[in-house]
Amino acid sequence: MAAAAAPAVPEHSPEAPPSRPFDISQPPVIEGFNPLPKTKDETFSQKFVRKTKENPFVPIGCLGTAGALIYGLRAFHQGKTRQSQLLMRGRIFAQGFTVVAIIVGVFATALKQKQ
């Protein structure tokens, strides 16, 4: 009569492991990726002190920018236009100094990690 029918679902080949769903309790394995160990949690003041020690020119530039802005606005309010203009130019200089300090700090940190 009729020949026995082969099963419609193909069986797994011995070469390929059976697929299993993603296990959420284990992180995925990514070749070539080594996660860094989690550092201890820092408070804001601890992080500020650490970053200031790494690159002290950034806070100096920020204080210079803020100081020139405050004194420039005060001079403008008092009607001292010449002094106000000079302080606003000083503020631009201080901002440029701060940006350069940030860029130099980023490059220094990148070079330090490669060594």
Side-chain angles (χ1 to χ4, degrees):
M1 290 200 20
V9 178
E11 295 182 24
H12 292 286
S13 65
E15 298 168 0
S19 64
R20 57 183 174 188
F22 178 72
D23 185 10
I24 202 162
S25 65
Q26 295 293 325
V29 178
I30 302 172
E31 187 176 332
F33 177 73
N34 295 324
L36 297 174
K38 184 174 180 179
T39 58
K40 62 178 183 167
D41 293 331
E42 293 179 299
T43 64
F44 176 77
S45 60
Q46 290 172 337
K47 186 175 182 179
F48 181 78
V49 169
R50 179 176 57 86
K51 293 286 189 177
T52 301
K53 286 180 182 177
E54 289 176 8
N55 192 354
F57 296 111
V58 174
I60 291 169
C62 290
L63 289 174
T65 302
L69 176 65
I70 290 169
Y71 286 123
L73 289 174
R74 183 172 170 248
F76 180 74
H77 182 68
Q78 292 175 349
K80 301 175 183 177
T81 56
R82 175 91 174 127
Q83 183 182 9
S84 173
Q85 284 294 318
L86 288 174
L87 285 167
M88 288 301 117
R89 290 179 187 154
R91 177 187 60 88
I92 298 297
F93 175 76
Q95 280 180 307
F97 176 81
T98 305
V99 170
V100 169
I102 290 170
I103 292 171
V104 168
V106 167
F107 281 123
T109 303
L111 291 175
K112 191 185 303 181
Q113 288 179 355
K114 288 182 180 179
Q115 293 176 354

